[in-house]
């Protein structure tokens, strides 16, 4: 069984910073991609993800402000969030993806951590 646990969320003022952490544990020895999604009413959007080789992808709305990184040895992924805006307010979910030899993709999710940016 794989479990993902997020931490680092909280309440900050506009322009502040937070660093989210996600720890993965269980039987999986490695993940092809790890990333962060955020949940807004009616939608869940990709914020950023990173491959095991370090290639990154960001939503346009966070480029230049957020930085994703990972520690492969520890199966952890981080999201450094700077210059936070009220529109960044959401529940942030950690995601880890495994590509099976059969090409079946398995996604694992954390329970989420709340990020609130006050105006």
């Amino acid at each position: 069984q794989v479990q993902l646990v997020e931490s680092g969320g909280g309440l900050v003022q506009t322009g502040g910073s937070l660093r989210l952490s996600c720890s993965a544990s269980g039987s999986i020895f490695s993940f092809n991609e790890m990333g962060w999604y955020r949940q807004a009413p009616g939608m869940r959007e990709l914020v950023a993800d990173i491959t095991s080789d370090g290639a990154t992808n960001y939503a346009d709305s966070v480029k230049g402000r957020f930085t994703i990184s990972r520690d492969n040895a520890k199966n952890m992924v981080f999201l450094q969030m700077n210059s936070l805006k009220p529109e960044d307010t959401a529940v942030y979910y950690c995601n880890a993806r495994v590509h099976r030899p059969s090409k079946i993709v398995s996604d694992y999710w954390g329970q989420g951590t709340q990020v609130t940016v006050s105006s």
Side-chain angles (χ1 to χ4, degrees):
Q1 187 179 29
V2 175
Q3 291 184 323
L4 276 60
V5 180
E6 303 100 333
S7 63
L11 174 64
V12 298
Q13 296 178 333
T14 297
S17 297
L18 286 172
R19 189 169 195 251
L20 305 184
S21 298
C22 174
S23 297
S25 62
S27 301
I28 305 298
F29 69 95
S30 66
F31 301 94
N32 296 96
E33 293 97 27
M34 301 184 76
W36 294 91
Y37 290 72
R38 62 189 180 189
Q39 183 75 48
M43 64 177 293
R44 178 176 293 188
E45 67 172 345
L46 174 68
V47 178
D49 61 15
I50 183 169
T51 71
S52 60
D53 294 327
T56 58
N57 180 57
Y58 296 92
D60 288 340
S61 60
V62 307
K63 286 182 179 178
R65 299 189 297 120
F66 292 9
T67 302
I68 189 170
S69 60
R70 65 187 286 174
D71 185 331
N72 291 333
K74 297 181 179 180
N75 276 338
M76 296 186 68
V77 63
F78 309 92
L79 186 68
Q80 179 66 47
M81 305 185 293
N82 299 325
S83 301
L84 283 162
K85 305 174 181 179
E87 48 263 46
D88 295 318
T89 296
V91 178
Y92 285 70
Y93 294 90
C94 180
N95 168 262
R97 173 169 287 184
V98 178
H99 297 259
R100 310 288 185 181
S102 63
K103 297 191 177 182
I104 295 175
V105 176
S106 298
D107 280 305
Y108 302 92
W109 297 91
Q111 293 184 341
T113 185
Q114 176 70 47
V115 172
T116 302
V117 185
S118 64
S119 59

